[in-house]
Amino acid sequence: MNSRRKLLMGMGAAATLGALAWPKLNLQPKLPYLEKVGSGRLPNTALYTHEGKSVKFYDDLIRDKVVAINMMYTDCKRICPGMTANLRQVQKLFGDRLGRDVFMYSISLQPELDTPERLQEYVNKYHIGPGWLFLTGVAKDIDQLRFRLGFYDRDPVVDGNKSSHTGIVRIGNDKYDRWTMSPALAQPEQILATINHVDPFVVNTAVGNG
């Protein structure tokens, strides 16, 4: 009964937030500095991991994978610490599935300061395990990626204030083109269920190793 309740919670979150899901709706605001990317596919932005490895966003991190993506920066004193700590609990629930069946990514909103070395320090501070990468790159490229993922506010003044950035997790299964989102501070079990909901091969959404 408890597992069924958590499954329904996750499905409810996916259904409620699915109306905002990428890419079924055009989430890009009409801002002049936004470049258009030709297809509905996410851009292949060049990034660096906290381990200093060079990666391409779509080819290396997204293609055919189940993913959970959020945005943060190491100097953030508001939502980021709680968000990272909460997602650390989600990581624990996944057990050895993370890095094999599911991948977590945190992208810096302040790439000019968040070097791979600085992100590595952040990873050490929060005891982040394998399967969860922290990413940085060129500021304008990350800004474009941020908009394509839906991490923005339509009010340019609000959007320009990093301290008020959105606390959501973009969740998707690229292979099956299934995308939704979840509040980053939702119960870890609910975030787990929402991630599992986009994966047709997972039956038990309440247990990380199920």
Side-chain angles (χ1 to χ4, degrees):
M1 182 62 72
N2 190 42
S3 295
R4 178 178 174 79
R5 185 179 303 114
K6 288 180 178 177
L7 169 61
L8 292 174
M9 285 174 60
M11 292 178 67
T16 300
L17 295 168
L20 300 176
W22 178 92
K24 300 304 180 185
L25 295 179
N26 180 13
L27 293 177
Q28 288 190 353
K30 295 179 179 179
L31 296 177
Y33 59 85
L34 259 184
E35 293 182 31
K36 290 185 177 180
V37 178
S39 69
R41 178 177 295 174
L42 285 167
N44 212 19
T45 308
L47 299 171
Y48 290 92
T49 73
H50 66 270
E51 299 164 331
K53 181 181 178 181
S54 174
V55 293
K56 295 291 188 179
F57 183 73
Y58 183 78
D59 286 348
D60 297 328
L61 305 181
I62 304 297
R63 187 191 295 273
D64 294 336
K65 292 182 173 67
V66 175
V67 299
I69 308 163
N70 77 300
M71 301 203 76
M72 47 65 68
Y73 59 105
T74 59
D75 274 351
C76 176
K77 300 297 190 293
R78 298 182 67 181
I79 192 173
C80 296
M83 186 166 55
T84 301
N86 197 51
L87 293 176
R88 177 71 180 100
Q89 297 307 308
V90 176
Q91 182 183 45
K92 290 180 180 179
L93 290 174
F94 271 113
D96 60 8
R97 281 184 59 205
L98 198 69
R100 183 190 68 196
D101 304 325
V102 179
F103 300 83
M104 293 173 63
Y105 306 124
S106 292
I107 305 171
S108 173
L109 284 167
Q110 204 171 44
E112 64 276 13
L113 296 179
D114 284 339
T115 61
E117 294 79 10
R118 191 162 183 170
L119 291 176
Q120 180 66 68
E121 292 173 2
Y122 193 83
V123 164
N124 294 341
K125 177 180 178 180
Y126 284 91
H127 307 289
I128 306 300
W132 184 357
L133 294 177
F134 283 71
L135 301 154
T136 189
V138 177
K140 67 178 182 63
D141 294 338
I142 287 184
D143 206 39
Q144 181 193 66
L145 181 59
R146 177 172 70 87
F147 275 82
R148 289 301 301 272
L149 287 166
F151 293 106
Y152 67 87
D153 192 285
R154 288 187 178 275
D155 183 336
V157 175
V158 175
D159 187 69
N161 184 359
K162 288 184 175 63
S163 67
S164 63
H165 71 90
T166 179
I168 63 171
V169 182
R170 176 67 70 191
I171 294 165
N173 183 332
D174 177 68
K175 186 174 184 178
Y176 291 92
D177 195 24
R178 300 176 67 176
W179 290 85
T180 185
M181 62 178 70
S182 171
L185 295 178
Q187 290 295 318
E189 293 82 2
Q190 185 173 343
I191 298 174
L192 171 73
T194 305
I195 296 171
N196 284 340
H197 183 63
V198 304
D199 188 348
F201 297 103
V202 175
V203 176
N204 186 345
T205 65
V207 181
N209 293 322

